Structures are given as C-alpha cells and as structure tokens.
Amino acid sequence: MVVRMELTDDETDRVFHALAAATRRDILRRTLESEQSVSALAAGYDMSFAAVQKHVAVLEAAGLIIKRAEGRERLVRADPDMIARARTLLAPYEALWRARIDRLDDLLAAPAPPQNTQGG
C-alpha cells in the first residue's frame, strides 16, 4: 500500500483555512489529546452548539479530524496522518527559516571589525 504524503493544492488550502481560526486550532488540540463528543467540545466555548458544529465540519472537510457516530453522539478525534502530511508540507519552510536564523547567529557571533579611530 502506497501512502501519499504530499497534499494537493486544494487539500493545502482546506488545511490552512481550517487552521486559520483559533477555535478550530483549539478543537484540534483538544481532539489530539483524546476523542471527544461534539457536545463536550461545545461546552468549552462561549458560542452556540451549531457554531461549534460548523467549526468541526471545517476541520473534518480538511481531513484534520475524523468524526464518527456512537449512538446519538458524534465523537471527534484528530487524524494524526493528515497532521503529519501537513507537517511535511511545512518542513521546507521550517528548514529555510532555521538556516536563516543560523546565518544570523553566525553574523552576531563574529567579532566586530576594528573601528578606525583616526580623526580627520
């Protein structure tokens, strides 16, 4: 079985859209820790149950969470595979910025050139 790690442009857009809202990032964090019902998630926010359901739907459309029915409840958990795929997308940007920071550290650590103290 071949697992595709790269995200398509549409998948990338959905992931970044999903992560653009603080509430959705918090829902993702909470569902990484443990599977939770949508009702339990909604209890943690000062918004309507329907609003939380919409946030969950955006995360689900992006593939970041998986929702399943258990009786009358809808349980939500983060999808670590999609999170890993999104991380793979960001890795080159992280490497670029780490290299830039390393170069800046080298510049700051280099001894300062001697200053010319002769007057004119």
Side-chain angles (χ1 to χ4, degrees), residues 56-75:
V56 168
V58 170
L59 288 164
E60 185 178 25
L64 292 167
I65 62 169
I66 298 167
K67 186 168 62 170
R68 68 179 181 89
E70 187 172 291
R72 293 177 45 197
E73 284 193 310
R74 299 296 173 256
L75 299 175

Side-chain angles (χ1 to χ4, degrees), residues 4 6-15 82 85:
R4 184 175 53 89
E6 284 189 22
L7 297 175
T8 66
D9 286 343
D10 287 341
E11 288 171 324
T12 300
D13 289 346
R14 283 192 298 272
V15 166
M82 180 56 99
R85 290 173 68 199

Side-chain angles (χ1 to χ4, degrees), residues 16 83-103:
F16 281 112
I83 294 168
R85 290 173 68 199
R87 183 166 168 66
T88 299
L89 170 76
L90 294 172
Y93 298 105
E94 180 182 3
L96 172 77
W97 282 103
R98 288 190 184 277
R100 288 181 178 182
I101 290 170
D102 288 345
R103 284 195 304 271

Side-chain angles (χ1 to χ4, degrees), residues 19 23-37 41 45 56 59 63-66 75-87:
L19 296 175
T23 299
R24 290 192 290 267
R25 290 190 304 272
D26 190 58
I27 290 170
L28 186 60
R29 179 194 56 78
R30 290 173 62 189
T31 59
L32 273 168
E33 293 171 1
S34 65
E35 184 175 60
Q36 300 200 21
S37 71
L41 289 169
Y45 302 105
V56 168
L59 288 164
L64 292 167
I65 62 169
I66 298 167
L75 299 175
V76 179
R77 66 176 169 83
D79 182 355
D81 292 334
M82 180 56 99
I83 294 168
R85 290 173 68 199
R87 183 166 168 66

